[in-house]
C-alpha cells in the first residue's frame, strides 16, 4: 500500500532508452485509467544481474508483484518453481486469454503445458536495407521494394553488389563485442536447416556437426572470402556504418528502427532472408511474469496492470517490436506503421533459444557461442574446430549442476 491506503503494483523491468520512454507512456495510461491503484516501476540493469536479482528476490520471499522476463529465460525460472502458473480462464477475465495470441506466441509462454508468462512482443533478427544503395545495385523491383533473396550464393551476390555501390561494405553486423550478436546469426542459419542444440530436457547436446559447420562456413565467408563484412565491428560501429550509407544491408534485431528513422534515412525492413531453406530467425519475446509467492490479491492487481499494458502496446510497437497481443496486431493503426509492420509475419517464423538454465537472452550459452564464432569469422579457427569447441563448451554447461 501507499499513502491513503491505495493498493500498489510493484513492477520490475529492464528497459532504458527509447523502450524505457515508451514503457513510461504506457505506464502513464495505466495510472490514468486506474486511479485506485498505485504503480511502483523499478528499472534495473539489463542482463544476468537482472535475472539473478529477480531469482534471489523470489527465493527470498520478497519478489515484485510483476516483472519483465525474456521468454528465453523461461528455462531457468519455470523448472525451478519461481513463477506463478497462469490459468487460461484467469487470463480471459482480464481480456488477455489464449485466444488473444498467435498459437506460436502462446506456446512459447508454456512450460510442461502450463502458461507461465504473458508475452508483450516478439523481437526477431531482421534485415534492414538502404533503399538508395539497393536501387543503384539493381536489387529493387519496380515498386522500390527489395527483390526476394534466397540461398547463400544469391545473398552473397547481392551483398557484393551493394558493396560496389557503397565503396565500403555490403553488410553491417556486429561480430565483435556484443554478447549475443554472432549467436543470433548462427542460430538463425542453423535453425533454417532444422538443426537443434539440446534435447528437450536439456540433458543432452544434439548439435548437428554438418549443419553447424555449414552455418559457420557461411558466416566466415562474409568476412574472409566475400569480404562484404568487416571481421571486427562493435555494436555502435555497426549502427553507424549502416546509418552513414557505408553498407547496403544491416542484420540485427528490429529495435534500431527508430535510430534510422530519427536520422531520416531512406531505408526499409523485411524478415531475415531464407538462406538455408526457410525464413526462420532467432528471436525473443519480452513477457510479463508473476513471481512465485505473490499473494492472490496482488496477483489480481498484476493481471489488471498486464492487461492495460498489452491493450496499449501500439505505443510499444512503434519501437520496432511486433505486438504479441493480437487485437493490437490486427489494427489498421499497426498495419499502417511503416516499416515496423513489414516484418510482422516473422512472429510466426522464429526460433527461441533452447530451454535450459544456462540459455536465454544474455546467458552463458549466448556469450560462449558468440565468442567462439567471432574467432571463426576472424579466420583464427576453422568452422570444424569452432563447432567442436562449441560442442565441448555446451557439454560443460549441461554437466554443470543447476544453480537454483
Amino acid at each position: 500500500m501507499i499513502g491513503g491506503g491505495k493498493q500498489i503494483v510493484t513492477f520490475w523491468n529492464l528497459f532504458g532508452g527509447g523502450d524505457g520512454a515508451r514503457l513510461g507512456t504506457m505506464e502513464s495510461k495505466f495510472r490514468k485509467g486506474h486511479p485506485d491503484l498505485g504503480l511502483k516501476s523499478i528499472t534495473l540493469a539489463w542482463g544476468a544481474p537482472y535475472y539473478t536479482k529477480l531469482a534471489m528476490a523470489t527465493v527470498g520471499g520478497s519478489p515484485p508483484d510483476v516483472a519483465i522476463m525474456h521468454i528465453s529465460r523461461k528455462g531457468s525460472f519455470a523448472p525451478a518453481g519461481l513463477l506463478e502458473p497462469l490459468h487460461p480462464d484467469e487470463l480471459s477475465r482480464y481480456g488477455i486469454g489464449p485466444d488473444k495470441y498467435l498459437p506460436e506466441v502462446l506456446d512459447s509462454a508454456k512450460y510442461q503445458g502450463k502458461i507461465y508468462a504473458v508475452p508483450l512482443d516478439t523481437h526477431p533478427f531482421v534485415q534492414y536495407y538502404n533503399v538508395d544503395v539497393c536501387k543503384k545495385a539493381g536489387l529493387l523491383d519496380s515498386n522500390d521494394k527489395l527483390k526476394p533473396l534466397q540461398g547463400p550464393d544469391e545473398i552473397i551476390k547481392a551483398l557484393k553488389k551493394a558493396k560496389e555501390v557503397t565503396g565500403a561494405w555490403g553488410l553491417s553486423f556486429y561480430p565483435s563485442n556484443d554478447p549475443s550478436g554472432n549467436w543470433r546469426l548462427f542460430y538463425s542459419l542453423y535453425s533454417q536447416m532444422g538443426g537443434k542444440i539440446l534435447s528437450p530436457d536439456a540433458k543432452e547436446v544434439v548439435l548437428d556437426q554438418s549443419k553447424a559447420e555449414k552455418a559457420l562456413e557461411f558466416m566466415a565467408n562474409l568476412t574472409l572470402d566475400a569480404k562484404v563484412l568487416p571481421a571486427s565491428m562493435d555494436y555502435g560501429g555497426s549502427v553507424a556504418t549502416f546509418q552513414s550509407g557505408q553498407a547496403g544491408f544491416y542484420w540485427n534485431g528490429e529495435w534500431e528502427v527508430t535510430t534510422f528513422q530519427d536520422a531520416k534515412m531512406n531505408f526499409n525492413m523485411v524478415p531475415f532472408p531464407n538462406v538455408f531453406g526457410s525464413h526462420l530467425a532467432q528471436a525473443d519475446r519480452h513477457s510479463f511474469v508473476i513471481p512465485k509467492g505473490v499473494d492472490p490479491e496482488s496477483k489480481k492487481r498484476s493481471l489488471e496492470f498486464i492487461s492495460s499494458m498489452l491493450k496499449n502496446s501500439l505505443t510499444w510497437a512503434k519501437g520496432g517490436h511486433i505486438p504479441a497481443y493480437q487485437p493490437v496486431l490486427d489494427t489498421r493503426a499497426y498495419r499502417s506503421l511503416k516499416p515496423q509492420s513489414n516484418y510482422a509475419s516473422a512472429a510466426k517464423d522464429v526460433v527461441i533459444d533452447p530451454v535450459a538454465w544456462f540459455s536465454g537472452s544474455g546467458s552463458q550459452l549466448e556469450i560462449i557461442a558468440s565468442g567462439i564464432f567471432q574467432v571463426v569469422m576472424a579466420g583464427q579457427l576453422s568452422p570444424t574446430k569452432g563447432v567442436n569447441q562449441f560442442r565441448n563448451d555446451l557439454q560443460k554447461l549441461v554437466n554443470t549442476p543447476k544453480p537454483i
Side-chain angles (χ1 to χ4, degrees):
M1 291 188 182
I2 56 178
K6 182 186 287 190
Q7 299 297 316
I8 185 170
V9 177
T10 302
F11 170 49
W12 284 11
N13 71 87
L14 35 61
F15 299 121
D19 278 351
R22 281 178 285 275
L23 183 77
T25 299
M26 295 158 69
E27 290 173 340
S28 294
K29 291 179 180 178
F30 169 77
R31 291 187 176 98
K32 185 175 181 180
H34 299 80
D36 57 322
L37 291 177
L39 174 64
K40 184 178 181 182
S41 180
I42 300 172
T43 301
L44 302 170
W46 181 93
Y50 174 83
Y51 289 108
T52 298
K53 186 166 186 175
L54 180 59
M56 291 301 99
T58 304
V59 171
S62 57
D65 297 320
V66 60
I68 285 290
M69 186 185 81
H70 288 86
I71 207 72
S72 63
R73 284 280 183 164
K74 176 179 62 180
S76 59
F77 278 78
L82 300 180
L83 302 177
E84 284 284 338
L86 303 169
H87 195 277
D89 291 343
E90 183 178 39
L91 295 173
S92 294
R93 284 197 291 272
Y94 294 90
I96 54 175
D99 61 318
K100 305 298 184 184
Y101 306 92
L102 294 169
E104 296 87 350
V105 174
L106 184 65
D107 285 347
S108 70
K110 295 179 180 179
Y111 177 72
Q112 294 185 343
K114 293 183 178 181
I115 301 171
Y116 284 95
V118 182
L120 170 62
D121 65 43
T122 301
H123 46 280
F125 201 62
V126 298
Q127 179 167 258
Y128 302 71
Y129 64 94
N130 183 310
V131 173
D132 297 329
V133 169
C134 289
K135 188 170 186 176
K136 292 177 182 177
L139 300 173
L140 303 185
D141 62 21
S142 57
N143 295 314
D144 282 348
K145 304 298 183 184
L146 187 68
K147 296 175 184 177
L149 300 175
Q150 183 171 329
D153 294 340
E154 190 171 297
I155 289 167
I156 291 292
K157 184 178 179 180
L159 296 177
K160 286 182 175 180
K161 287 182 176 180
K163 181 179 179 178
E164 290 174 3
V165 174
T166 66
W169 303 106
L171 173 68
S172 184
F173 175 59
Y174 48 108
S176 298
N177 72 333
D178 189 271
S180 56
N182 289 318
W183 165 255
R184 290 189 179 110
L185 178 54
F186 170 83
Y187 200 42
S188 298
L189 299 169
Y190 179 68
S191 298
Q192 287 185 356
M193 293 180 273
K196 304 295 182 183
I197 301 291
L198 300 170
S199 60
D201 60 6
K203 293 181 179 180
E204 182 182 356
V205 176
V206 296
L207 191 68
D208 186 297
Q209 185 77 22
S210 63
K211 291 175 181 176
E213 285 187 29
K214 192 172 182 180
L216 282 183
E217 285 167 0
F218 176 80
M219 292 168 66
N221 186 13
L222 296 172
T223 56
L224 302 176
D225 297 324
K227 292 181 169 51
V228 292
L229 169 71
S232 179
M233 178 181 286
D234 62 22
Y235 189 95
S238 74
V239 174
T241 297
F242 182 68
Q243 183 176 319
S244 64
Q246 296 180 71
F249 293 86
Y250 185 41
W251 291 348
N252 195 358
E254 31 62 38
W255 47 80
E256 291 295 347
V257 57
T258 55
T259 300
F260 304 132
Q261 287 177 324
D262 291 344
K264 309 298 182 184
M265 275 191 72
N266 188 15
F267 76 104
N268 208 336
M269 299 168 69
V270 291
F272 186 71
N274 176 346
V275 185
F276 291 122
S278 79
H279 276 283
L280 272 180
Q282 192 271 356
D284 214 327
R285 293 187 169 106
H286 296 119
S287 304
F288 295 100
V289 295
I290 297 178
K292 193 71 174 178
V294 170
D295 67 76
E297 289 304 311
S298 294
K299 186 176 183 181
K300 291 178 183 178
R301 294 192 293 271
S302 295
L303 289 171
E304 189 68 47
F305 169 70
I306 294 169
S307 176
S308 172
M309 298 297 275
L310 291 179
K311 292 171 183 176
N312 288 297
S313 58
L314 179 64
T315 297
W316 191 247
K318 293 176 181 177
H321 307 317
I322 303 169
Y325 191 60
Q326 195 73 22
V328 170
L329 187 69
D330 290 340
T331 60
R332 180 178 297 179
Y334 175 70
R335 291 196 299 269
S336 64
L337 197 61
K338 300 295 182 182
Q340 289 90 332
S341 65
N342 292 351
Y343 49 86
S345 63
K348 297 188 292 184
D349 226 9
V350 299
V351 58
I352 308 294
D353 290 4
V355 178
W357 70 263
F358 50 81
S359 178
S361 181
S363 66
Q364 293 181 62
L365 170 62
E366 291 192 349
I367 293 169
I368 287 171
S370 288
I372 295 170
F373 302 158
Q374 164 57 23
V375 177
V376 173
M377 294 178 75
Q380 299 168 358
L381 197 66
S382 71
T384 299
K385 290 183 178 179
V387 174
N388 290 339
Q389 184 174 332
F390 181 43
R391 184 191 304 278
N392 292 337
D393 288 350
L394 267 177
Q395 191 62 56
K396 291 177 184 178
L397 289 174
V398 168
N399 293 342
T400 302
K402 296 179 183 179
I404 298 177

